[in-house]
Amino acid sequence: MDLALAEAEAAREAGEVPIGAVVVSAVGEVLARAGNRTLALRDPTAHAELLAIRAACALLGSERLIGCDLYVTLEPCAMCAAAISFARIRRLYFGAADPKGGAVEHGPRFFAQATCHHAPEVIGGLRETEAANLLKQFFARRR
């Protein structure tokens, strides 16, 4: 989660919403890391999770990340939850809960739906205070 928080801080410094994600292999090797880049790429799908998943898939030469874990600083949205499911991520670790836009423990609870083909093990609240504070401070400065 240290690396995901560092990616979130780098995203913040670039003016992006401070969210970071890291994909780790089954043996603990960091495969990919990313921060949000929706503004820089002019791409509404350039969420940290999607960028990290894409990079890890490219590195492994596969559309599946079986046995891999994803660390992300904020509870994933529905789009990212779908990508996590399609990539067959083994475990999802996230920091801050997102009651408004989250789709794992809030909103549609994507992984609990009958139409979800693969649900990772989910561990939420990892370094939650740090992750939440990054977001709170970012939005407080923008107001």
Side-chain angles (χ1 to χ4, degrees), residues 38-120:
T38 58
L39 299 174
L41 297 176
R42 304 282 188 251
D43 179 356
T45 70
H47 289 197
E49 300 97 318
L50 290 183
L51 296 174
I53 288 170
R54 287 174 186 154
C57 286
L59 179 70
L60 296 177
S62 174
E63 75 282 7
R64 302 281 190 245
L65 297 173
I66 295 169
C68 294
D69 298 336
L70 176 68
Y71 292 80
V72 62
T73 58
L74 183 67
E75 176 184 352
C77 69
M79 174 180 67
C80 293
I84 290 164
S85 177
F86 293 150
R88 304 298 193 261
I89 296 286
R90 175 179 61 176
R91 279 190 209 100
L92 165 65
Y93 296 91
F94 71 85
D98 186 359
K100 185 176 178 182
V104 176
E105 292 183 347
H106 296 89
R109 299 178 189 261
F110 188 89
F111 302 131
Q113 299 303 315
T115 55
C116 179
H117 298 291
H118 169 78

Side-chain angles (χ1 to χ4, degrees), residues 107-133:
R109 299 178 189 261
F110 188 89
F111 302 131
Q113 299 303 315
T115 55
C116 179
H117 298 291
H118 169 78
E121 180 181 350
V122 176
I123 298 97
L126 194 62
R127 305 210 25 209
E128 181 174 15
T129 302
E130 292 169 76
N133 284 341

